[in-house]
Amino acid sequence: MNKRRTKKQQRQIEDGIKTLLLLVAAASYYFTHNLYLTLMMVGVTMVLIIVVVVFRSNREKERLRSSGIKDIDAMDGIQFEYYLKELYLSRGYSAEVTSASGDYGADLFLKKDGKKIVVQAKRYTKDVGIKAVQEVIGAKSYYQAEQAWVVSNSYFTKAARALAAKGNVLLVDRDELIDYILAMNPGSERRVPSKMIGSDSRSSTQVCSRCGGPMVLKTGKRGEFLGCSSFPKCRNTMNL
């Protein structure tokens, strides 16, 4: 969560409420010249504000529950990469997770409509800084991609946003990721794709016994099973 952003928004809301109450008090006293009625109008306004705030808070909590963002927050970095792979595959992109080493700043390759996209996946508990943007700009040049994205479950620093604007990098932050998931699955109670790592309690901590890579939930002719994420280099499987 971007604490600075949250505090700034909170101050803006508090200042707005104070301004509104002052305007209500001034207008009420101007038209009635009655202190009792003025205080009553201010009280009614405060009650209405509380109702609106509680309603919006409950709606935001429901939005967060529906989006599955808490599941994403519990992932590690590799799980988040494979989650994004499944997310974009479901949107018609071809998607590939790069190797853990020697990726030159790209965690995923996406392709759609003939355009190649390099993606940095940042599953963070703090703001994503400028380094991620620098790396994905380098990856865009190295892989000769048309677009560069950084996707995170968190937010971005001011410096990261400034560099992204100059470098033509798309930043997808926590709020936009939630909106994207909800738009993709408007009628689903569980928003996280079923094939993501960690979507099944039996596979959330499984690693390949041969190469040490994460195991991915897959579906074959005989049903679901766990397969190594390094396939076809590693063809190890596990039954569920």
Side-chain angles (χ1 to χ4, degrees):
M1 178 64 70
N2 187 328
K3 293 182 179 179
R4 287 171 297 179
R5 184 178 181 179
T6 301
K7 288 181 180 179
K8 182 179 179 180
Q9 291 175 338
Q10 185 175 350
R11 286 197 300 269
Q12 290 174 340
I13 292 173
E14 290 174 354
D15 290 343
I17 291 174
K18 291 177 182 178
T19 301
L20 176 61
L21 291 176
L22 287 173
L23 289 174
V24 169
S28 178
Y29 190 77
Y30 176 80
F31 287 109
T32 66
H33 297 288
N34 187 307
L35 183 60
Y36 174 77
L37 289 177
T38 298
L39 292 175
M40 185 174 68
M41 288 299 298
V42 172
V44 170
T45 303
M46 289 184 65
V47 170
L48 291 175
I49 290 173
I50 292 172
V51 171
V52 171
V53 170
V54 171
F55 173 78
R56 291 187 62 180
S57 176
N58 290 338
R59 187 174 63 178
E60 179 62 18
K61 289 178 181 178
E62 179 59 30
R63 178 173 174 268
L64 291 175
R65 286 194 294 266
S66 299
S67 71
I69 195 67
K70 294 300 181 182
D71 294 327
I72 296 173
D73 291 339
M75 297 178 188
D76 60 31
I78 295 177
Q79 290 174 338
F80 185 50
E81 291 173 13
Y82 280 88
Y83 166 73
L84 291 180
K85 174 184 175 180
E86 296 299 332
L87 181 66
Y88 285 109
L89 281 173
S90 67
R91 294 295 294 173
Y93 291 83
S94 64
E96 176 187 354
V97 176
T98 63
S99 60
S101 60
D103 58 22
Y104 297 98
D107 295 318
L108 293 98
F109 296 138
L110 303 180
K111 195 170 184 179
K112 191 174 185 181
D113 299 328
K115 293 183 178 180
K116 188 174 185 180
I117 305 162
V118 290
V119 180
Q120 271 254 346
K122 293 297 182 185
R123 209 292 302 163
Y124 269 25
T125 56
K126 58 182 181 180
D127 292 353
V128 180
I130 196 172
K131 184 179 177 181
V133 180
Q134 292 172 331
E135 290 178 349
V136 83
I137 290 175
K140 179 183 178 182
S141 175
Y142 182 84
Y143 292 109
Q144 296 183 338
E146 282 77 23
Q147 296 181 29
W149 301 354
V150 183
V151 182
S152 178
N153 68 315
S154 188
Y155 298 96
F156 295 91
T157 64
K158 184 177 180 180
R161 290 192 173 277
L163 180 60
K166 289 186 177 181
N168 197 27
V169 174
L170 174 67
L171 301 183
V172 179
D173 66 13
R174 183 180 184 87
D175 295 335
E176 292 163 329
L177 181 60
I178 291 173
D179 289 340
Y180 192 81
I181 298 168
L182 292 174
M184 184 186 72
N185 299 298
S188 174
E189 292 184 0
R190 182 169 179 78
R191 309 295 172 172
V192 179
S194 62
K195 293 183 180 180
M196 56 167 274
I197 300 175
S199 64
D200 192 299
S201 59
R202 295 166 293 182
S203 63
S204 60
T205 59
Q206 294 290 349
V207 296
C208 179
S209 59
R210 293 183 183 176
C211 69
M215 301 295 282
V216 183
L217 185 63
K218 297 183 177 181
T219 302
K221 295 181 180 179
R222 297 182 180 180
E224 292 185 334
F225 66 95
L226 295 180
C228 182
S229 58
S230 298
F231 180 87
K233 292 181 179 180
C234 179
R235 298 176 179 270
N236 188 28
T237 62
M238 295 174 61
N239 293 326
L240 293 175

